[in-house]
Amino acid sequence: MAEGQKADGVASIAMATDEDNQVVNPWEVSAKDGGKIDYDKLIEKFGCQRLDQSLVNRVERLTSRPAHVFLRRGVFFAHRDLNEILDVYERGQKFYLYTGRGPSSEALHLGHLVPFMFTKYLQDAFKVPLVIQLTDDEKCMWKNLSVEESRRLARENAKDIIACGFDISRTFIFSDFDYVGGAFYQNMVRVAKCVTFNKVVGIFGFTHEDNIGKISFPPVQAVPSFPSSFPHLFAGNDNLRCLIPCAIDQDPYFRMTRDVAPRIGYQKPALIESSFFPALQGETGKMSASDPNSAIYVTDTPKVIKNKVNRYAFSGGQDSIENHRKYGANLEVDIPVKYLGFFLEDDEELEHIKKEYGAGRLLTGEVKKRLIEVLSEIVERHQKARASVTDEMVDAFMAVRPLPHMFS
Amino acid sequence: MGYTKTQLLAHLKELQIDFATYEHPVVLTVEAQAKYVGHLRGSLSKNLLLKDKKHRYYVISALAGTNVDLKVMSQRLGLGKGGLRMAPEEALQEILQVPLGCVTPLALINESARAVSLLLDKAFKAQECCFFHPLSNDTTISLSASNLDKFLMSIGRNPSYIDLEAETVVGKDNPPDLAAFVPVDVPQPSEQTIKAAVNVREQKHAPLEKKLTNVQDNNQSRGSQKAMEKPCRTADLLAEATDVNKFIKELIEKTSLAVLSEMSKDSKAEGREPLESAVLDRVNKRISSDLENLAMILKNAAYTQGLQAGIRSPSPRR
């Protein structure tokens, strides 16, 4: 998944730069005038659907278990064709999941884990297989890394991904440098034939100065949505539907894919999209790997987490205790409460905190304390799991092997 | 154990399917059935259980008046000339679990009929409703085509209607148009993926899959439906045994029961209040996701060991 290239002022509907100066594309996310991202406008602009409560209830019913925290709290808030996937599932036919990561750095933060945590839940709840793409080729090109370095990062990131708890009997992880070829490449060419240079300029903002590697990259991220790209997994199952959990800034790739799919006789992939995980310092954009204090990293110790939350987490509380007791906290901009919205499982406790904090009866320090507890637990659990991931386990997840029980 | 008529009718009611029921003395042929229901609203159906040379079964369900030419059907299915025969009586009991004279698409509700291919007469759609036996010859129910579809979808079947009377000539330039209806053997997916796999075989799964394909090959010739079920059962057992969620639920349940019973014994002996199960419920809630994560780590590590053991050469890359 690409990030980092500035769009050189190429104005186009598909680039989601609207008059209000909100920019959302795979490389840049920023809100108007340093404010909040307007998700309603985004949904309208991109043309996807809101994920409403009735769909969440339907998911609960079909999977016979409570919906994931991210669904309940509206973190995953938009979709394309999710109802079709649920129809297919209800009829007893299955689907598969596809997600991925651009391995640009060794340090992963909690925002990076969000789509993976949600994908793990989808895998367990629906009992379906998953392919995870590591776009090491993309990072090699965009971040100007050497081939060797990007492959190394891909393997390191794979360990953190595995630590999220994916089921090896249902999961195939692959790096582009290792896997592109054969049926996968055949599909890439099929897709590439259907997209003109003008189109990718419009969608991704490429220019005549960009190297040809970048310009021809989009099909690589598109074709894992087609089951025929994985003959060792889905041979003969050409009609298998695909569901892609991702952050909403990846939408352009899959808009392109959905446009091409029917022209080459394939099913369109469905999407389920999340909002951005806010940076510690506030809602103005997404977390940045370059500023260590903007995020909680999976390698942070409890002490570091405590320090980061106490010092950098943007508070919506008032400037003095008297004012706070009088006016209450501004829940709209308060980061600790937002983070708790992501990670505190207990709906009742969250409601209680919001109520008390909003009324001024609970202080910022107390909310932060609870957040530190929750985050430390998650990070510790991740670190333990990460410690048991060996190179052999990475090899096993990445081995091109059949998965005979992937639908059981 | 096959479904009984009562169970089938209850299933239809659950799906909120409208149907009318008519009881009559046992009938073995359409002519005999016509005597009792021919005057009622609805069209009679004729139902054939057929078998091909590779012991695959087909149910053709058509309007009584539709002409079904087995020679033509055989070619359209890609079975050559004379590839389709009427199935022997034993197959009725074994596969559809219905008595003689009672072939009906409703019998596909039985597990034993899982691999049977169903061909429906498109003329059904033009009728208001049609008569079928509900697993028993002493009753007839009338169902509309759309309700039949509802029933079929509820048992995981995709209903498709064909022009049974079409005089398609199958030849070099005309491939068999009904080839898609030839049943795919149930454990086939694993066979296909073995063939399609590129380098690595998992030792844990390889011997099991060899067993599956051997059992299937040996018993194919006997056409015994019992043998076909065995491979699926072993595969299902394995899937159940590696289900992390199920495993942890069981673990927690057993622990809770043991703790509760010990604590109540303990508190009875010392005259204290027994531990409330609500406390245990809260504990369970807290630890179940942690336990699930640990179990997943174990599962992944064990699979890796198996895979490593099965790899003939060390990692091919680098």
mmCIF file of all heavy atoms in Angstrom, chain A residues 151 155 165-169 178 231 235 381 385 388 392-393 396-397 400-402 404-405 408, chain B residues 192-193 196-197 199 202 205 209 238-239 243 290 293 296-297 299-301 303-304 307 317-318:
data_model
loop_
_atom_site.group_PDB
_atom_site.id
_atom_site.type_symbol
_atom_site.label_atom_id
_atom_site.label_comp_id
_atom_site.label_asym_id
_atom_site.label_seq_id
_atom_site.Cartn_x
_atom_site.Cartn_y
_atom_site.Cartn_z
ATOM 1 N N ARG A 151 13.070 -6.445 0.912
ATOM 2 C CA ARG A 151 12.700 -7.836 1.178
ATOM 3 C C ARG A 151 12.875 -8.162 2.651
ATOM 4 O O ARG A 151 12.077 -8.886 3.257
ATOM 5 C CB ARG A 151 13.539 -8.793 0.328
ATOM 6 C CG ARG A 151 13.184 -8.730 -1.146
ATOM 7 C CD ARG A 151 13.982 -9.722 -1.940
ATOM 8 N NE ARG A 151 13.483 -11.068 -1.701
ATOM 9 C CZ ARG A 151 14.161 -12.157 -1.967
ATOM 10 N NH1 ARG A 151 15.374 -12.077 -2.458
ATOM 11 N NH2 ARG A 151 13.635 -13.347 -1.732
ATOM 12 N N ARG A 155 9.924 -9.349 5.468
ATOM 13 C CA ARG A 155 9.948 -10.485 6.378
ATOM 14 C C ARG A 155 9.780 -10.040 7.825
ATOM 15 O O ARG A 155 9.072 -10.679 8.609
ATOM 16 C CB ARG A 155 11.253 -11.263 6.238
ATOM 17 C CG ARG A 155 11.203 -12.308 5.131
ATOM 18 C CD ARG A 155 12.462 -13.143 5.126
ATOM 19 N NE ARG A 155 12.472 -14.121 6.186
ATOM 20 C CZ ARG A 155 11.969 -15.352 6.081
ATOM 21 N NH1 ARG A 155 11.403 -15.725 4.941
ATOM 22 N NH2 ARG A 155 12.051 -16.186 7.082
ATOM 23 N N GLY A 165 -2.186 -13.009 15.221
ATOM 24 C CA GLY A 165 -2.955 -14.207 15.526
ATOM 25 C C GLY A 165 -3.675 -14.837 14.352
ATOM 26 O O GLY A 165 -4.723 -15.446 14.522
ATOM 27 N N PHE A 166 -3.081 -14.724 13.129
ATOM 28 C CA PHE A 166 -3.750 -15.362 12.002
ATOM 29 C C PHE A 166 -3.569 -16.865 12.038
ATOM 30 O O PHE A 166 -2.583 -17.382 12.552
ATOM 31 C CB PHE A 166 -3.215 -14.795 10.684
ATOM 32 C CG PHE A 166 -3.613 -13.362 10.493
ATOM 33 C CD1 PHE A 166 -2.690 -12.343 10.607
ATOM 34 C CD2 PHE A 166 -4.934 -13.026 10.228
ATOM 35 C CE1 PHE A 166 -3.058 -11.019 10.477
ATOM 36 C CE2 PHE A 166 -5.314 -11.702 10.088
ATOM 37 C CZ PHE A 166 -4.375 -10.693 10.214
ATOM 38 N N ASP A 167 -4.525 -17.570 11.456
ATOM 39 C CA ASP A 167 -4.549 -19.023 11.481
ATOM 40 C C ASP A 167 -3.738 -19.557 10.299
ATOM 41 O O ASP A 167 -4.127 -19.373 9.137
ATOM 42 C CB ASP A 167 -6.012 -19.472 11.384
ATOM 43 C CG ASP A 167 -6.181 -20.966 11.521
ATOM 44 O OD1 ASP A 167 -5.221 -21.717 11.255
ATOM 45 O OD2 ASP A 167 -7.283 -21.388 11.890
ATOM 46 N N ILE A 168 -2.643 -20.243 10.585
ATOM 47 C CA ILE A 168 -1.743 -20.649 9.497
ATOM 48 C C ILE A 168 -2.405 -21.635 8.550
ATOM 49 O O ILE A 168 -2.002 -21.760 7.385
ATOM 50 C CB ILE A 168 -0.443 -21.236 10.084
ATOM 51 C CG1 ILE A 168 0.655 -21.250 9.032
ATOM 52 C CG2 ILE A 168 -0.673 -22.614 10.663
ATOM 53 C CD1 ILE A 168 2.009 -21.630 9.595
ATOM 54 N N SER A 169 -3.432 -22.335 9.023
ATOM 55 C CA SER A 169 -4.055 -23.294 8.116
ATOM 56 C C SER A 169 -5.017 -22.613 7.162
ATOM 57 O O SER A 169 -5.631 -23.249 6.317
ATOM 58 C CB SER A 169 -4.791 -24.371 8.914
ATOM 59 O OG SER A 169 -5.915 -23.806 9.561
ATOM 60 N N ASP A 178 8.813 -12.244 -4.273
ATOM 61 C CA ASP A 178 8.862 -13.702 -4.321
ATOM 62 C C ASP A 178 7.790 -14.302 -5.203
ATOM 63 O O ASP A 178 7.998 -15.331 -5.835
ATOM 64 C CB ASP A 178 8.656 -14.291 -2.915
ATOM 65 C CG ASP A 178 9.860 -14.078 -2.048
ATOM 66 O OD1 ASP A 178 10.962 -13.894 -2.587
ATOM 67 O OD2 ASP A 178 9.691 -14.102 -0.816
ATOM 68 N N PRO A 231 -3.413 -20.050 -8.029
ATOM 69 C CA PRO A 231 -3.861 -21.367 -8.471
ATOM 70 C C PRO A 231 -3.609 -22.452 -7.437
ATOM 71 O O PRO A 231 -4.336 -23.436 -7.404
ATOM 72 C CB PRO A 231 -3.031 -21.620 -9.739
ATOM 73 C CG PRO A 231 -1.912 -20.661 -9.697
ATOM 74 C CD PRO A 231 -2.358 -19.493 -8.902
ATOM 75 N N ALA A 235 -7.743 -23.175 -7.255
ATOM 76 C CA ALA A 235 -7.867 -23.700 -8.612
ATOM 77 C C ALA A 235 -9.301 -24.108 -8.901
ATOM 78 O O ALA A 235 -9.934 -24.798 -8.110
ATOM 79 C CB ALA A 235 -6.955 -24.910 -8.786
ATOM 80 N N ARG A 381 0.690 -8.125 24.936
ATOM 81 C CA ARG A 381 0.221 -9.367 24.325
ATOM 82 C C ARG A 381 0.858 -9.526 22.945
ATOM 83 O O ARG A 381 1.287 -10.606 22.553
ATOM 84 C CB ARG A 381 -1.294 -9.351 24.201
ATOM 85 C CG ARG A 381 -1.873 -10.700 23.841
ATOM 86 C CD ARG A 381 -3.308 -10.644 23.462
ATOM 87 N NE ARG A 381 -4.119 -10.026 24.500
ATOM 88 C CZ ARG A 381 -5.364 -9.605 24.298
ATOM 89 N NH1 ARG A 381 -5.914 -9.743 23.137
ATOM 90 N NH2 ARG A 381 -6.042 -9.050 25.283
ATOM 91 N N ALA A 385 3.419 -12.535 21.604
ATOM 92 C CA ALA A 385 3.135 -13.323 20.406
ATOM 93 C C ALA A 385 4.260 -13.154 19.397
ATOM 94 O O ALA A 385 4.683 -14.117 18.754
ATOM 95 C CB ALA A 385 1.804 -12.889 19.803
ATOM 96 N N SER A 388 7.275 -15.369 19.828
ATOM 97 C CA SER A 388 7.233 -16.781 19.431
ATOM 98 C C SER A 388 7.184 -16.982 17.926
ATOM 99 O O SER A 388 7.066 -18.109 17.453
ATOM 100 C CB SER A 388 6.057 -17.522 20.059
ATOM 101 O OG SER A 388 5.191 -16.661 20.685
ATOM 102 N N GLU A 392 11.232 -19.860 10.769
ATOM 103 C CA GLU A 392 10.573 -21.030 10.168
ATOM 104 C C GLU A 392 9.080 -20.799 10.041
ATOM 105 O O GLU A 392 8.450 -21.206 9.065
ATOM 106 C CB GLU A 392 10.795 -22.289 11.025
ATOM 107 C CG GLU A 392 12.192 -22.861 10.974
ATOM 108 C CD GLU A 392 13.125 -22.117 11.891
ATOM 109 O OE1 GLU A 392 12.631 -21.446 12.814
ATOM 110 O OE2 GLU A 392 14.345 -22.205 11.677
ATOM 111 N N MET A 393 8.498 -20.100 11.053
ATOM 112 C CA MET A 393 7.059 -19.864 10.995
ATOM 113 C C MET A 393 6.737 -18.912 9.849
ATOM 114 O O MET A 393 5.748 -19.103 9.128
ATOM 115 C CB MET A 393 6.558 -19.295 12.323
ATOM 116 C CG MET A 393 5.086 -19.559 12.538
ATOM 117 S SD MET A 393 4.418 -18.790 14.009
ATOM 118 C CE MET A 393 4.849 -19.979 15.227
ATOM 119 N N ALA A 396 6.804 -20.826 6.790
ATOM 120 C CA ALA A 396 5.619 -21.673 6.669
ATOM 121 C C ALA A 396 4.417 -20.874 6.172
ATOM 122 O O ALA A 396 3.680 -21.311 5.288
ATOM 123 C CB ALA A 396 5.304 -22.331 8.009
ATOM 124 N N PHE A 397 4.213 -19.665 6.734
ATOM 125 C CA PHE A 397 3.092 -18.828 6.283
ATOM 126 C C PHE A 397 3.263 -18.434 4.822
ATOM 127 O O PHE A 397 2.278 -18.241 4.103
ATOM 128 C CB PHE A 397 3.031 -17.539 7.112
ATOM 129 C CG PHE A 397 2.106 -17.607 8.303
ATOM 130 C CD1 PHE A 397 2.588 -17.967 9.546
ATOM 131 C CD2 PHE A 397 0.759 -17.302 8.175
ATOM 132 C CE1 PHE A 397 1.740 -18.023 10.654
ATOM 133 C CE2 PHE A 397 -0.095 -17.360 9.276
ATOM 134 C CZ PHE A 397 0.398 -17.720 10.522
ATOM 135 N N VAL A 400 4.336 -21.677 -0.632
ATOM 136 C CA VAL A 400 3.284 -21.861 -1.629
ATOM 137 C C VAL A 400 2.759 -23.273 -1.458
ATOM 138 O O VAL A 400 3.335 -24.227 -1.951
ATOM 139 C CB VAL A 400 3.845 -21.668 -3.050
ATOM 140 C CG1 VAL A 400 2.771 -21.916 -4.092
ATOM 141 C CG2 VAL A 400 4.387 -20.258 -3.188
ATOM 142 N N ARG A 401 1.707 -23.437 -0.723
ATOM 143 C CA ARG A 401 1.215 -24.751 -0.340
ATOM 144 C C ARG A 401 -0.309 -24.731 -0.408
ATOM 145 O O ARG A 401 -0.921 -23.669 -0.268
ATOM 146 C CB ARG A 401 1.641 -25.050 1.104
ATOM 147 C CG ARG A 401 0.926 -24.136 2.106
ATOM 148 C CD ARG A 401 1.708 -23.828 3.352
ATOM 149 N NE ARG A 401 0.897 -23.134 4.341
ATOM 150 C CZ ARG A 401 0.681 -21.821 4.360
ATOM 151 N NH1 ARG A 401 1.217 -21.043 3.432
ATOM 152 N NH2 ARG A 401 -0.080 -21.267 5.297
ATOM 153 N N PRO A 402 -0.925 -25.888 -0.594
ATOM 154 C CA PRO A 402 -2.386 -25.881 -0.575
ATOM 155 C C PRO A 402 -2.880 -25.698 0.862
ATOM 156 O O PRO A 402 -2.171 -26.000 1.817
ATOM 157 C CB PRO A 402 -2.749 -27.273 -1.102
ATOM 158 C CG PRO A 402 -1.569 -28.108 -0.824
ATOM 159 C CD PRO A 402 -0.368 -27.228 -0.864
ATOM 160 N N PRO A 404 -5.907 -27.130 2.512
ATOM 161 C CA PRO A 404 -7.092 -27.968 2.318
ATOM 162 C C PRO A 404 -8.231 -27.683 3.281
ATOM 163 O O PRO A 404 -9.362 -27.985 2.989
ATOM 164 C CB PRO A 404 -6.560 -29.392 2.516
ATOM 165 C CG PRO A 404 -5.261 -29.244 3.195
ATOM 166 C CD PRO A 404 -4.710 -27.915 2.862
ATOM 167 N N HIS A 405 -7.936 -27.084 4.432
ATOM 168 C CA HIS A 405 -9.035 -26.860 5.375
ATOM 169 C C HIS A 405 -9.375 -25.382 5.483
ATOM 170 O O HIS A 405 -9.899 -24.940 6.492
ATOM 171 C CB HIS A 405 -8.657 -27.415 6.744
ATOM 172 C CG HIS A 405 -8.302 -28.850 6.685
ATOM 173 N ND1 HIS A 405 -9.242 -29.833 6.522
ATOM 174 C CD2 HIS A 405 -7.102 -29.479 6.699
ATOM 175 C CE1 HIS A 405 -8.629 -31.006 6.469
ATOM 176 N NE2 HIS A 405 -7.341 -30.820 6.568
ATOM 177 N N SER A 408 -13.012 -24.806 6.367
ATOM 178 C CA SER A 408 -13.706 -25.589 7.405
ATOM 179 C C SER A 408 -14.068 -24.727 8.594
ATOM 180 O O SER A 408 -13.217 -24.004 9.078
ATOM 181 C CB SER A 408 -12.838 -26.727 7.879
ATOM 182 O OG SER A 408 -12.171 -27.310 6.811
ATOM 183 N N GLN B 192 -7.575 -31.472 -6.221
ATOM 184 C CA GLN B 192 -7.162 -30.444 -7.162
ATOM 185 C C GLN B 192 -6.003 -29.632 -6.629
ATOM 186 O O GLN B 192 -5.068 -29.328 -7.324
ATOM 187 C CB GLN B 192 -8.321 -29.506 -7.445
ATOM 188 C CG GLN B 192 -9.197 -29.990 -8.560
ATOM 189 C CD GLN B 192 -10.204 -28.930 -8.946
ATOM 190 O OE1 GLN B 192 -10.399 -27.978 -8.197
ATOM 191 N NE2 GLN B 192 -10.827 -29.072 -10.081
ATOM 192 N N THR B 193 -6.114 -29.269 -5.334
ATOM 193 C CA THR B 193 -5.067 -28.396 -4.798
ATOM 194 C C THR B 193 -3.763 -29.142 -4.654
ATOM 195 O O THR B 193 -2.708 -28.573 -4.753
ATOM 196 C CB THR B 193 -5.472 -27.793 -3.446
ATOM 197 O OG1 THR B 193 -5.960 -28.843 -2.611
ATOM 198 C CG2 THR B 193 -6.555 -26.756 -3.628
ATOM 199 N N ALA B 196 -2.303 -28.896 -8.006
ATOM 200 C CA ALA B 196 -1.917 -27.527 -8.367
ATOM 201 C C ALA B 196 -0.771 -27.001 -7.504
ATOM 202 O O ALA B 196 -0.143 -26.031 -7.833
ATOM 203 C CB ALA B 196 -3.120 -26.604 -8.245
ATOM 204 N N ALA B 197 -0.485 -27.641 -6.375
ATOM 205 C CA ALA B 197 0.543 -27.133 -5.463
ATOM 206 C C ALA B 197 1.907 -27.157 -6.128
ATOM 207 O O ALA B 197 2.215 -28.067 -6.873
ATOM 208 C CB ALA B 197 0.585 -27.978 -4.196
ATOM 209 N N ASN B 199 5.614 -26.405 -4.783
ATOM 210 C CA ASN B 199 6.736 -27.171 -4.256
ATOM 211 C C ASN B 199 6.463 -27.973 -2.996
ATOM 212 O O ASN B 199 6.842 -29.104 -2.904
ATOM 213 C CB ASN B 199 7.985 -26.307 -4.026
ATOM 214 C CG ASN B 199 7.629 -24.834 -3.959
ATOM 215 O OD1 ASN B 199 6.474 -24.465 -3.763
ATOM 216 N ND2 ASN B 199 8.598 -23.977 -4.142
ATOM 217 N N GLU B 202 2.786 -30.559 3.048
ATOM 218 C CA GLU B 202 2.861 -30.559 4.498
ATOM 219 C C GLU B 202 2.800 -31.988 4.952
ATOM 220 O O GLU B 202 1.875 -32.709 4.617
ATOM 221 C CB GLU B 202 1.687 -29.804 5.094
ATOM 222 C CG GLU B 202 1.211 -28.672 4.236
ATOM 223 C CD GLU B 202 -0.304 -28.507 4.372
ATOM 224 O OE1 GLU B 202 -0.776 -28.498 5.523
ATOM 225 O OE2 GLU B 202 -0.958 -28.444 3.362
ATOM 226 N N HIS B 205 -0.494 -33.030 6.586
ATOM 227 C CA HIS B 205 -1.701 -33.234 5.783
ATOM 228 C C HIS B 205 -1.500 -34.242 4.677
ATOM 229 O O HIS B 205 -2.434 -34.872 4.252
ATOM 230 C CB HIS B 205 -2.168 -31.903 5.188
ATOM 231 C CG HIS B 205 -2.640 -30.959 6.245
ATOM 232 N ND1 HIS B 205 -3.853 -31.100 6.854
ATOM 233 C CD2 HIS B 205 -2.051 -29.906 6.832
ATOM 234 C CE1 HIS B 205 -3.979 -30.148 7.767
ATOM 235 N NE2 HIS B 205 -2.913 -29.409 7.771
ATOM 236 N N GLU B 209 -4.265 -36.837 3.093
ATOM 237 C CA GLU B 209 -4.874 -36.669 1.782
ATOM 238 C C GLU B 209 -4.645 -37.898 0.933
ATOM 239 O O GLU B 209 -5.504 -38.289 0.173
ATOM 240 C CB GLU B 209 -4.323 -35.427 1.104
ATOM 241 C CG GLU B 209 -5.026 -34.184 1.612
ATOM 242 C CD GLU B 209 -4.222 -32.926 1.419
ATOM 243 O OE1 GLU B 209 -3.119 -33.027 0.881
ATOM 244 O OE2 GLU B 209 -4.710 -31.866 1.807
ATOM 245 N N LEU B 238 -10.673 -33.427 11.578
ATOM 246 C CA LEU B 238 -9.440 -32.654 11.672
ATOM 247 C C LEU B 238 -9.752 -31.172 11.819
ATOM 248 O O LEU B 238 -9.138 -30.462 12.618
ATOM 249 C CB LEU B 238 -8.598 -32.896 10.409
ATOM 250 C CG LEU B 238 -7.102 -32.702 10.594
ATOM 251 C CD1 LEU B 238 -6.582 -33.744 11.547
ATOM 252 C CD2 LEU B 238 -6.390 -32.816 9.267
ATOM 253 N N ALA B 239 -10.721 -30.721 11.047
ATOM 254 C CA ALA B 239 -11.098 -29.306 11.112
ATOM 255 C C ALA B 239 -11.611 -28.965 12.508
ATOM 256 O O ALA B 239 -11.289 -27.912 13.065
ATOM 257 C CB ALA B 239 -12.157 -28.986 10.061
ATOM 258 N N ASP B 243 -9.915 -26.308 15.613
ATOM 259 C CA ASP B 243 -10.722 -25.096 15.797
ATOM 260 C C ASP B 243 -10.371 -24.451 17.137
ATOM 261 O O ASP B 243 -10.768 -24.935 18.196
ATOM 262 C CB ASP B 243 -12.215 -25.480 15.737
ATOM 263 C CG ASP B 243 -13.122 -24.257 15.781
ATOM 264 O OD1 ASP B 243 -12.676 -23.181 16.234
ATOM 265 O OD2 ASP B 243 -14.277 -24.377 15.376
ATOM 266 N N ASP B 290 -7.267 -13.951 25.534
ATOM 267 C CA ASP B 290 -5.846 -14.227 25.760
ATOM 268 C C ASP B 290 -5.546 -15.703 25.504
ATOM 269 O O ASP B 290 -4.564 -16.057 24.858
ATOM 270 C CB ASP B 290 -5.464 -13.907 27.207
ATOM 271 C CG ASP B 290 -4.936 -12.490 27.334
ATOM 272 O OD1 ASP B 290 -4.255 -12.047 26.388
ATOM 273 O OD2 ASP B 290 -5.222 -11.837 28.353
ATOM 274 N N ASN B 293 -5.495 -16.494 21.861
ATOM 275 C CA ASN B 293 -4.253 -16.087 21.211
ATOM 276 C C ASN B 293 -3.144 -17.093 21.474
ATOM 277 O O ASN B 293 -2.396 -17.467 20.568
ATOM 278 C CB ASN B 293 -3.810 -14.708 21.708
ATOM 279 C CG ASN B 293 -4.678 -13.614 21.129
ATOM 280 O OD1 ASN B 293 -5.294 -13.785 20.083
ATOM 281 N ND2 ASN B 293 -4.747 -12.490 21.811
ATOM 282 N N MET B 296 -3.664 -20.123 19.397
ATOM 283 C CA MET B 296 -3.340 -19.893 17.987
ATOM 284 C C MET B 296 -1.836 -19.955 17.777
ATOM 285 O O MET B 296 -1.364 -20.513 16.777
ATOM 286 C CB MET B 296 -3.884 -18.534 17.541
ATOM 287 C CG MET B 296 -3.789 -18.294 16.049
ATOM 288 S SD MET B 296 -4.765 -19.442 15.069
ATOM 289 C CE MET B 296 -6.344 -18.609 15.101
ATOM 290 N N ILE B 297 -1.073 -19.415 18.743
ATOM 291 C CA ILE B 297 0.388 -19.482 18.642
ATOM 292 C C ILE B 297 0.825 -20.934 18.606
ATOM 293 O O ILE B 297 1.657 -21.340 17.790
ATOM 294 C CB ILE B 297 1.055 -18.759 19.826
ATOM 295 C CG1 ILE B 297 0.748 -17.262 19.762
ATOM 296 C CG2 ILE B 297 2.559 -18.983 19.815
ATOM 297 C CD1 ILE B 297 1.274 -16.484 20.942
ATOM 298 N N LYS B 299 -0.949 -23.541 17.719
ATOM 299 C CA LYS B 299 -1.372 -24.176 16.471
ATOM 300 C C LYS B 299 -0.403 -23.821 15.342
ATOM 301 O O LYS B 299 0.042 -24.690 14.586
ATOM 302 C CB LYS B 299 -2.785 -23.711 16.127
ATOM 303 C CG LYS B 299 -3.295 -24.232 14.802
ATOM 304 C CD LYS B 299 -4.728 -23.800 14.558
ATOM 305 C CE LYS B 299 -5.183 -24.276 13.190
ATOM 306 N NZ LYS B 299 -6.536 -23.839 12.857
ATOM 307 N N ASN B 300 -0.071 -22.527 15.243
ATOM 308 C CA ASN B 300 0.814 -22.097 14.169
ATOM 309 C C ASN B 300 2.199 -22.728 14.308
ATOM 310 O O ASN B 300 2.808 -23.139 13.323
ATOM 311 C CB ASN B 300 0.931 -20.570 14.152
ATOM 312 C CG ASN B 300 -0.350 -19.900 13.691
ATOM 313 O OD1 ASN B 300 -1.238 -20.545 13.140
ATOM 314 N ND2 ASN B 300 -0.453 -18.606 13.919
ATOM 315 N N ALA B 301 2.686 -22.810 15.559
ATOM 316 C CA ALA B 301 4.018 -23.379 15.763
ATOM 317 C C ALA B 301 4.029 -24.865 15.415
ATOM 318 O O ALA B 301 4.971 -25.355 14.776
ATOM 319 C CB ALA B 301 4.463 -23.160 17.205
ATOM 320 N N TYR B 303 2.011 -26.463 13.341
ATOM 321 C CA TYR B 303 1.893 -26.597 11.881
ATOM 322 C C TYR B 303 3.249 -26.362 11.233
ATOM 323 O O TYR B 303 3.658 -27.089 10.323
ATOM 324 C CB TYR B 303 0.873 -25.568 11.403
ATOM 325 C CG TYR B 303 0.649 -25.464 9.921
ATOM 326 C CD1 TYR B 303 -0.540 -25.918 9.352
ATOM 327 C CD2 TYR B 303 1.582 -24.870 9.083
ATOM 328 C CE1 TYR B 303 -0.788 -25.784 8.006
ATOM 329 C CE2 TYR B 303 1.349 -24.745 7.732
ATOM 330 C CZ TYR B 303 0.158 -25.190 7.199
ATOM 331 O OH TYR B 303 -0.087 -25.047 5.868
ATOM 332 N N THR B 304 3.962 -25.319 11.724
ATOM 333 C CA THR B 304 5.277 -25.008 11.169
ATOM 334 C C THR B 304 6.214 -26.193 11.317
ATOM 335 O O THR B 304 6.935 -26.550 10.380
ATOM 336 C CB THR B 304 5.884 -23.789 11.875
ATOM 337 O OG1 THR B 304 5.005 -22.682 11.704
ATOM 338 C CG2 THR B 304 7.239 -23.434 11.286
ATOM 339 N N LEU B 307 5.308 -28.742 8.791
ATOM 340 C CA LEU B 307 5.685 -28.317 7.446
ATOM 341 C C LEU B 307 7.185 -28.459 7.232
ATOM 342 O O LEU B 307 7.638 -28.963 6.206
ATOM 343 C CB LEU B 307 5.262 -26.857 7.248
ATOM 344 C CG LEU B 307 5.366 -26.312 5.824
ATOM 345 C CD1 LEU B 307 4.406 -27.054 4.926
ATOM 346 C CD2 LEU B 307 5.068 -24.834 5.805
ATOM 347 N N ARG B 317 14.583 -19.882 -1.253
ATOM 348 C CA ARG B 317 14.964 -18.506 -1.587
ATOM 349 C C ARG B 317 16.312 -18.164 -1.021
ATOM 350 O O ARG B 317 16.881 -18.935 -0.270
ATOM 351 C CB ARG B 317 13.952 -17.522 -1.030
ATOM 352 C CG ARG B 317 12.635 -17.532 -1.740
ATOM 353 C CD ARG B 317 11.837 -16.299 -1.317
ATOM 354 N NE ARG B 317 11.996 -16.046 0.109
ATOM 355 C CZ ARG B 317 11.281 -16.653 1.041
ATOM 356 N NH1 ARG B 317 10.399 -17.545 0.717
ATOM 357 N NH2 ARG B 317 11.454 -16.358 2.317
ATOM 358 N N ARG B 318 16.747 -16.984 -1.249
ATOM 359 C CA ARG B 318 18.062 -16.460 -0.819
ATOM 360 C C ARG B 318 19.163 -17.430 -1.192
ATOM 361 O O ARG B 318 20.097 -17.608 -0.471
ATOM 362 C CB ARG B 318 18.099 -16.282 0.715
ATOM 363 C CG ARG B 318 16.995 -15.366 1.208
ATOM 364 C CD ARG B 318 16.221 -16.049 2.276
ATOM 365 N NE ARG B 318 15.587 -15.173 3.240
ATOM 366 C CZ ARG B 318 16.116 -14.886 4.433
ATOM 367 N NH1 ARG B 318 17.319 -15.251 4.729
ATOM 368 N NH2 ARG B 318 15.447 -14.179 5.310
#
